Amino acid sequence: MSQNMNVTYAGLRLKNPVIAASAGTTKDADHAKRCEEAGFSAVVLKSIQEETINRYNPFPRFAVVKNGIPGFNSNSFYSYEQAFEGGIDEYAEMVAQAVRAVDIPVIASLNCVNPQSWGEYAKVVQQAGAKAVEIVPSCPVGLFLRENVDFSKIIGKATADTKAAVDIPVVVKMSMQLTSPLLTAIEVEQSGADGFTMFNRLTGLDIDVETQAPILHGGVAGHGGPWSMQMNMRWISEIFQHIQVPISATGGATNWTDVIKYMLAGAPTTQICAAVYLRGYKVAKEILNGIGAYMERHEIQALEEIVGVAANRIIPLGEAERSKRYFAKVDEENCSACGACQGICIYDAIGLAADGKRARINLEKCDGCGLCLHICPKKCISMQAK
Ligand SMILES: Cc1cc2nc3c(=O)[nH]c(=O)nc-3n(C[C@H](O)[C@H](O)[C@H](O)COP(=O)(O)O)c2cc1C
């Protein structure tokens, strides 16, 4: 079966939905080339920051914070990486070099402070050959978020000013540090946005308990990880229903299932960053192979068919099925009576069979909550309808 992974994002026709997100991994023409060779369909270059303090990195600036309960993976890629190191002229030169180096669309990324600069910077990158521009008032280290100003109003004005200055598509990278991402998206679409990138990372804080001080450079930092996907999908699936322009998902995607989930939630493309830092550019190929196999399995002719399918299946609160009850059932052949399920059942519904060799469910007490089947290391519990 011929596989059509083409997607359209902000007026750009892309050969697949996997875009390299703005970061050190896309910092110049050489890295844009690596993204292209790895299979990414477009590259969002490292942002330029108008605020000069944000152009210079502290060292070291990365940590992988692993926390949570052993056996339940939770990590945060915690970083304080600053922007492109030069001013707008050097940035324009870098954009031009990247455009010459690759055939995939090059998207420039801007983070300005002064209201008039958005349009000025956008003109320069358009002149340098960028195929689109992503504006990022939402950078975790950026002025707007640091000072807790009314981001919604600033972002709408920045979008309108950028749109007025250029002919190339203007994409807005949003933060979730907003009262309502939905209302902001609706407002910003009216300001002319051709697409949204959702969502930039949040600011976080991690502390070294021995020194009793913040880790790395001593302040708050950008943090994100696989855990951010569910909150991003929650908003993308809702916003997708209320806007006309496409969404590019970013946040926590590390493998093909994540990209497919984001598509089903309503984002035709997904941008990948931390996975490239932690596993290398090869993740793009792995993701594309996984998507190809999924398309074959589900007989999907054109990937765009699935955009928003799950978002459209979200049911209103009142329609959730509340009348059917379930109980846990143990696969007695495979249960080794390890006690994991017994140890967590707050209903005291799990004991041992008389021979002590397998778990036994007390049907009177079992609430049917479904937790034990996720705890069982041997996956030998299932739920049955009462
Ligand atoms: C080290 C690092 C540097 C980043 N730099 C930028 C940047 O310059 N501009 C920007 O818009 N986003 C930047 N980001 C955010 C990423 O583009 C991406 O949206 C975010 O990391 C979420 O995706 P992920 O979970 O795949 O990492 C950066 C992220 C990291 C980890």
Side-chain angles (χ1 to χ4, degrees):
M1 185 171 69
S2 77
Q3 291 193 321
N4 176 0
M5 287 197 199
N6 294 349
V7 287
T8 300
Y9 176 58
L12 305 174
R13 196 70 184 144
L14 305 180
K15 64 182 177 187
N16 70 58
V18 188
I19 297 176
S22 173
T25 43
T26 64
K27 71 190 180 74
D28 55 22
D30 175 47
H31 289 76
K33 188 80 194 154
R34 291 191 210 178
C35 293
E36 179 175 62
E37 284 168 359
F40 287 104
S41 63
V43 55
V44 187
L45 295 173
K46 178 74 187 160
S47 304
I48 177 166
Q49 284 252 5
E50 185 179 14
E51 200 185 13
T52 47
I53 182 86
N54 283 328
R55 293 179 186 166
Y56 304 100
N57 287 314
F59 297 92
R61 61 178 176 280
F62 295 137
V64 179
V65 179
K66 297 176 185 164
N67 48 11
I69 302 166
F72 292 82
N73 297 329
S74 169
N75 68 68
S76 184
F77 186 40
Y78 188 79
S79 68
Y80 196 66
E81 179 176 279
Q82 309 286 276
F84 178 75
E85 286 196 353
I88 187 65
D89 294 336
E90 288 102 333
Y91 193 69
E93 181 50 35
M94 186 275 277
V95 172
Q97 284 170 0
V99 169
R100 283 196 295 274
V102 297
D103 292 326
I104 56 175
V106 169
I107 302 172
S109 171
L110 308 180
N111 194 335
C112 297
V113 179
N114 296 305
Q116 74 280 4
S117 302
W118 295 103
E120 286 171 17
Y121 278 37
K123 267 192 196 144
V124 174
V125 297
Q126 171 174 269
Q127 181 71 27
K131 288 281 180 298
V133 60
E134 188 171 270
I135 65 168
V136 194
S138 62
C139 171
V141 297
L143 187 70
F144 303 126
L145 291 192
R146 269 193 340 259
E147 301 205 337
N148 286 325
V149 290
D150 185 345
F151 181 65
S152 302
K153 293 218 163 45
I154 290 173
I155 195 174
K157 169 120 184 35
T159 307
D161 291 350
T162 312
K163 275 297 286 181
V166 293
D167 306 319
I168 53 177
V170 175
V171 170
V172 179
K173 189 165 187 176
M174 299 246 298
S175 167
M176 205 178 283
Q177 286 172 247
L178 297 162
T179 316
S180 166
L182 171 63
L183 295 181
T184 303
I186 291 171
E187 205 176 309
V188 174
E189 185 183 31
Q190 284 161 4
S191 302
D194 296 296
F196 287 101
T197 300
M198 290 178 173
F199 289 91
N200 210 338
R201 305 185 340 140
L202 302 168
T203 38
L205 175 68
D206 202 51
I207 293 172
D208 181 327
V209 293
E210 298 307 324
T211 61
Q212 303 184 343
I215 66 166
L216 293 181
H217 63 292
V220 298
H223 81 127
W227 50 267
S228 63
M229 277 204 58
Q230 281 71 33
M231 68 184 180
N232 287 1
M233 282 196 288
R234 176 253 184 269
W235 281 111
I236 288 171
S237 63
E238 188 159 343
I239 294 169
F240 158 79
Q241 329 249 6
H242 290 91
I243 61 172
Q244 304 303 314
V245 298
I247 299 169
S248 189
T250 174
T254 61
N255 56 42
W256 69 267
T257 28
D258 296 340
V259 176
I260 294 290
K261 281 185 191 184
Y262 269 138
M263 287 198 118
L264 292 167
T269 63
T270 294
Q271 301 186 13
I272 309 284
C273 172
V276 177
Y277 273 105
L278 299 177
R279 299 215 36 247
Y281 289 86
K282 67 175 189 299
V283 291
K285 196 50 57 53
E286 293 169 6
I287 291 171
L288 292 170
N289 288 343
I291 294 174
Y294 176 82
M295 288 178 75
E296 228 166 276
R297 212 165 55 250
H298 287 264
E299 299 184 357
I300 297 167
Q301 306 289 334
L303 204 47
E304 282 185 325
E305 287 167 22
I306 66 165
V307 174
V309 165
N312 291 326
R313 290 184 175 151
I314 293 174
I315 53 170
L317 192 66
E319 285 177 27
E321 172 59 63
R322 287 174 164 82
S323 58
K324 269 206 202 111
R325 299 304 302 257
Y326 292 82
F327 65 93
K329 186 166 189 299
V330 176
D331 167 2
E332 298 196 342
E333 296 270 287
N334 290 311
C335 175
S336 60
C338 70
C341 57
Q342 204 177 349
I344 58 96
C345 180
I346 62 167
Y347 304 98
D348 294 330
I350 311 178
L352 286 181
D355 62 6
K357 290 190 177 150
R358 55 200 180 273
R360 168 136 305 164
I361 309 290
N362 180 332
L363 297 186
E364 294 296 308
K365 289 185 173 177
C366 178
D367 177 69
C369 71
L371 181 57
C372 53
L373 74 94
H374 296 279
I375 299 296
C376 175
K378 297 187 83 183
K379 308 227 171 308
C380 59
I381 302 182
S382 58
M383 300 306 291
Q384 307 282 318
K386 264 191 182 164

